[in-house]
Amino acid sequence: KQWYQRRVRGDIRGYSDVVINRLKELQMVCDSFFWSENMPLNQILADITRDGVLYAVVLTEASAHEKSINIHVLQGRNPKDFRDVPLADGLDLLERDFNKAQTARSQVPGFL
C-alpha cells in the first residue's frame, strides 16, 4: 500500500509517531517530513501527486491536540480532502478508499 505522511509546524512528533505506527499496522508505506512555510501546501501536494503518491496526511498542532488528521486523497480525477477527521475514522476511510481503488484497478484489462 502506498502512503505519504507529512508533519507540520510545532512539536507534534509524539502524535506523528502514533499516526505513522497506526498506518504501518494497516501495512501502508509511510514517509514523513517537515513542511517549510515558504512553499504553499498546494505546491507540495502537486509535487507528490506527480511522484505517484496516493494519499497525504497533514498534521498540525490543532490536529495533534484533537487527535484528528487532515487527509488528502490525491488519486483519481477529482482529488478530495477531509479535514479534522478523528484518527480512527480517518484510518478507516483511507483503508476503504485504498481497497476500492485497488479493486477498480484490478478490473482494468492488462493491470496487474
Side-chain angles (χ1 to χ4, degrees):
K1 296 182 179 184
Q2 187 170 1
W3 182 257
Y4 198 83
Q5 162 70 32
R6 191 145 153 34
R7 294 190 284 199
V8 297
R9 300 181 192 129
D11 187 13
I12 57 173
R13 183 168 313 226
Y15 184 60
S16 178
D17 291 341
V18 167
V19 173
I20 289 170
N21 289 334
R22 295 285 305 275
L23 292 168
K24 287 180 179 180
E25 288 173 8
L26 296 175
Q27 299 179 350
M28 293 189 170
V29 176
C30 302
D31 192 8
S32 64
F33 69 94
F34 289 94
W35 167 22
S36 168
E37 293 181 23
N38 298 330
M39 182 175 271
L41 179 59
N42 290 349
Q43 179 63 47
I44 294 169
L45 294 175
D47 290 348
I48 64 174
T49 299
R50 280 192 295 277
D51 290 342
V53 173
L54 303 178
Y55 305 98
V57 169
V58 176
L59 302 178
T60 63
E61 290 177 10
S63 62
H65 178 72
E66 297 169 7
K67 304 299 184 221
S68 65
I69 57 178
N70 299 303
I71 302 167
H72 297 268
V73 179
L74 305 173
Q75 63 188 337
R77 294 178 188 217
N78 299 312
K80 304 172 206 115
D81 50 298
F82 303 89
R83 298 181 186 272
D84 303 319
V85 180
L87 179 58
D89 294 341
L91 294 173
D92 289 344
L93 182 147
L94 289 166
E95 188 170 31
R96 282 192 315 271
D97 188 80
F98 183 81
N99 290 334
K100 180 179 161 185
Q102 290 301 98
T103 300
R105 285 188 183 103
S106 69
Q107 295 174 355
V108 174
F111 181 83
L112 298 175

